[in-house]
Amino acid sequence: MTVEQQADTTPTAEYSPKRWATLAVTLFAVFMDMVDNTVLNVALPAVQEDLDASSAQLEWSVAGYTLAFAAAMITGSRLGDQLGRRRIYLIGLGCFVATSALAGAAVNPEMLIISRVFQGVAAALMVPQVLAMLQVDFPKSERPKAMSLYGMSLAVGGIGGPLLGGVLLEADLFDLGWRPVFFINVPVGLAALIAAAVLTRESRVETRESFDIRGTLIATVGLISLLFPLVQGRELDWPWWTFALMIACPVILWLFVRYEHRVIARGESPIINPALLHHRSSLGGLLVAILFFCGMAYQLVLTVHLQTGEGYSPLRTAVALVTFTVGVGIGSSVAPQLMPLGRRVVLLGCAVMAVGMGVIAWTVDHYSGSLEWWHLAPGMIVSGIGLAMVAGTLLTIVLAQMPKSASGAASSLINTSIQVGVATGVAIVGTVYFTFLEDRHSPTDSAVVGLLTVVGLYVLAGLLAFVLPPGRVDVSDADDTDDETDHDHAAATAGPALPPEAEPKARVAP
């Protein structure tokens, strides 16, 4: 059943005259998620000093949020479909406010990490409901404008996170140091919660599906078996069991795929349909997405180095990081025209990212001790262009050979892979960077090695892109008349990591 058919069988069949106000309120979820994905980065040195946190605990405070979001996102989407999107959105938003307060009140690193994990779960409950509610609440003629506002929220949140963190740390409100970067969510979130309770309407899918909780747990254990030893192994001096856990990771994920096959055989609904991995486009796209977005851990290296190695203030650090979004904006203006080139765009985008990060590594080394934020701008802008080229094209390629009925699951899966990639990158790059730093290498040398690790990840992602199917990708709307509502459902179930421009109907052209 499509979203439009669902809408006609629920009390929300008539479009609300308050739908634009409703959209403005619900977009707070998207904005706050993007802010909290990045706001802690500029506060890491302050957190380390205040809580006496180890480097591994700093990594977990960043990766814990992302990993929890990735693990719970598909389940959160299904809960909204079946129990009511408004209900799950309000529960998620309320939990997000509560966990933000707990994170801000953390008295030790362990409390901060646990709060961040539950904050990620809360985000996974509220964020997927936004696109689903948008699809139900708006007629087709108004959806492009609504989707543009959704994309704008992603962009503003991505820019606003580091800037907001820098401003709050610079202001040092009430002598609370880094804590207001989380406390700010409380008044804003409570206001959004009250407004959403008044304005939003309920919608759900009539068809009930089983929840694959066991499958979710198996997949999560598999991911943790990789991330935990990567993050903690250095501090524990790499005992034998850390290597055993990493070796166990692919075995556990293989068992997960086998279990999902059994779920399907029982006539139940899996968290991930293994049949999606039989397509070269989806398997290649997921692998490239994980490896490519590992490289986003460059933010961890630069944030710590600029403040501890170059003496930057948090606000000055934020300004240096924001130049990356200038490149994203430039790239986003040309990426839609390049998407039909398919795999070649991904290859080029990976190369552009590698070059941009290489320029940043050279800049950090060359201007050591006198590094200014504008020295970093050329490399950051080039890197942002590379990200814009790859992100939307990857989802286009993944959806190209998918049947319309599977496009929602495929887009959710690649967004989950992106979050897994970000968390894994923090573990890998953070381990390399902090290992060099704690082995008494200079801050500059350690940062350069960390950034060169990022360059290597982008080179590997480019090589892996050859797994993607060759040939052009047709992104025309020729097929839309019969399947448009199916695509709307795909958009409604997709996660938040990719912009709406990355969701065309597509098929591989000969």
Side-chain angles (χ1 to χ4, degrees), residues 403-450:
K404 296 299 182 183
S405 59
S407 58
S411 56
S412 292
L413 185 56
I414 193 171
N415 280 288
T416 300
S417 299
I418 288 170
Q419 302 300 322
V420 169
V422 172
T424 305
V426 169
I428 295 173
V429 177
T431 296
V432 173
Y433 171 57
F434 286 119
T435 295
F436 270 76
L437 199 60
E438 292 169 5
D439 284 347
R440 302 188 183 281
H441 289 84
S442 72
T444 297
D445 288 345
S446 301
V448 169
V449 170

Side-chain angles (χ1 to χ4, degrees), residues 291-454:
L291 200 53
F292 181 85
F293 282 92
C294 278
M296 295 306 292
Y298 82 88
Q299 295 180 358
L300 174 68
V301 175
L302 276 183
T303 297
V304 175
H305 175 67
L306 290 178
Q307 293 185 59
T308 61
E310 296 287 342
Y312 275 37
S313 68
L315 182 58
R316 193 178 173 199
T317 301
V319 171
L321 294 177
V322 163
T323 54
F324 182 87
T325 61
V326 175
V328 174
I330 295 171
S332 297
S333 65
V334 299
Q337 288 73 41
L338 296 176
M339 278 183 192
L341 297 176
R343 185 175 74 179
R344 284 170 286 183
V345 179
V346 176
L347 290 167
L348 180 60
C350 290
V352 170
M353 283 293 288
V355 169
M357 286 297 152
V359 170
I360 293 173
W362 178 86
T363 302
V364 168
D365 183 52
H366 183 74
Y367 291 101
S368 178
S370 60
L371 183 66
E372 299 291 345
W373 68 265
W374 59 81
H375 293 151
L376 294 169
M380 296 289 279
I381 291 172
V382 170
S383 299
I385 293 173
L387 176 67
M389 293 173 65
V390 172
T393 308
L394 267 183
L395 184 54
T396 301
I397 293 173
V398 169
L399 294 179
Q401 294 180 338
M402 289 290 104
K404 296 299 182 183
S405 59
S407 58
S411 56
S412 292
L413 185 56
I414 193 171
N415 280 288
T416 300
S417 299
I418 288 170
Q419 302 300 322
V420 169
V422 172
T424 305
V426 169
I428 295 173
V429 177
T431 296
V432 173
Y433 171 57
F434 286 119
T435 295
F436 270 76
L437 199 60
E438 292 169 5
D439 284 347
R440 302 188 183 281
H441 289 84
S442 72
T444 297
D445 288 345
S446 301
V448 169
V449 170
L451 291 169
L452 290 178
T453 303
V454 172

